[in-house]
Amino acid sequence: MQFTEQDFIITSPIKKISVPAEINISAPSNIALVKYWGKHGLQLPMNPSVSFTLNKSRTHTIVRLTALDKTGENLRFKFFLNEKYQPDFEPKIAGFFKRIKIYAPFINAYHWEIYSHNTFPHSSGIASSASGFAALAKIIIELEKQLYTQQTAEYYNKKVSFLARLGSGSAARSTAHPVMIWGQHPQIDNTSDLYAIVPDFELHPVFKNFRDSIVLVEKEQKKVSSTAGHNLMHNHPFKNIRKKQAFDHTLQMSEYLKTGDLKKFIKLTEAEALELHALMMTSNPNYILMQPDTLKIIHLIREIRNRTDLPVCFTLDAGANVHILYPGNISTELETRLFKKINFEIIHDFV
Ligand code: DP6
């Protein structure tokens, strides 16, 4: 079933929760196979994207709520990351709460103390915004469940993703396992620009024990934010070509995830990663996020694959880190052939 924005708007709650209350939740990170790059309106994607949800890299969030005498115009909150008060993060979170107010009007009746910690090091260059906003969206839906009459599981699943999207686009895909598709695609049922869905096909067994080993080539904050990168797509000379590619790739990727065609999966995954960075290198202004070591690792992966036929490939997000994707049954072999040769910290995650 398709939901509209209207379906997610709610009015006054029918119940009250006993405060002070505490909600404790976690949400996973995800890695895109077909990339979301370019957006319009209120966090609507230029094209559909497909991702694997990761299991180990997560954000754990605890929210402590206390009742306010009067519901305010803006949400009153404090944000702590890894036990430290982080006012720098508050403008982005405040923007999120503002955007979602009509879909969750009850939030402003409380003061929020938000305590988050990531299972991956904060300075690892791994995006924490996807898992971070997905965790906040889950908390809001937990509250909605307590305050309003029961809705269907489908409504809650889609609304979690819908709210998460309003914090950060890729967060829309951090709300369910193991694969999510975000963005309307005419040939894929139930897809929407408003939220991500779990596709209705069965993921082929070859992907069920899939790994993502993340090589931390660069641990600092990204030099160009994803939001700035998305904006450069508006006047990008290859905008229309990219759009067409991403629609085609989403359909093809869905097919390979269903049939388990690893050779085609590898070819397409790497093509998407390189295309994303090619778009950055051809925007105006252009920029390069890959580092010499990113390329060295890419060459090493390709050289090992050509020599041994092992089904290993790479993808990249908007940074210099390399995500190495492979089936779990070749992990021991890759340890000696590949990981031992890489002189950076590696986070071994799985789908
Ligand atoms: C390259 O979701 O971080 O990782 O919506 O502005 O918060 P905002 O951007 P963000 O962009 C992620 C871009 C990407 C590709 C992807 O995850 O699909």
Side-chain angles (χ1 to χ4, degrees), residues 30 32 34-37 39 43 49 92 129 165 167-171 173 222 226-227 230 276 280 316-318:
N30 72 79
V34 177
K35 311 290 180 180
Y36 145 57
W37 202 239
K39 59 178 167 180
Q43 297 279 95
S49 55
K92 192 158 185 198
S129 61
R165 180 198 108 232
S168 177
S170 54
R173 298 187 317 245
K222 289 181 261 190
S226 289
T227 305
H230 288 295
L276 169 72
M280 297 171 190
L316 305 165
D317 57 17

Side-chain angles (χ1 to χ4, degrees), residues 219-265:
K219 294 188 174 183
E220 300 101 70
Q221 203 71 19
K222 289 181 261 190
K223 283 178 201 73
V224 181
S225 75
S226 289
T227 305
H230 288 295
N231 283 338
L232 291 172
M233 285 309 292
H234 288 303
N235 297 315
H236 199 289
F238 303 140
K239 180 178 173 176
N240 291 331
I241 301 170
R242 166 60 191 162
K243 248 175 115 167
K244 164 129 188 22
Q245 287 274 43
F247 275 81
D248 291 348
H249 288 173
T250 297
L251 197 60
Q252 288 160 7
M253 187 57 81
S254 306
E255 189 59 28
Y256 306 155
L257 292 174
K258 199 161 41 183
T259 58
D261 191 328
L262 268 181
K263 279 217 154 56
K264 287 183 177 160
F265 168 86

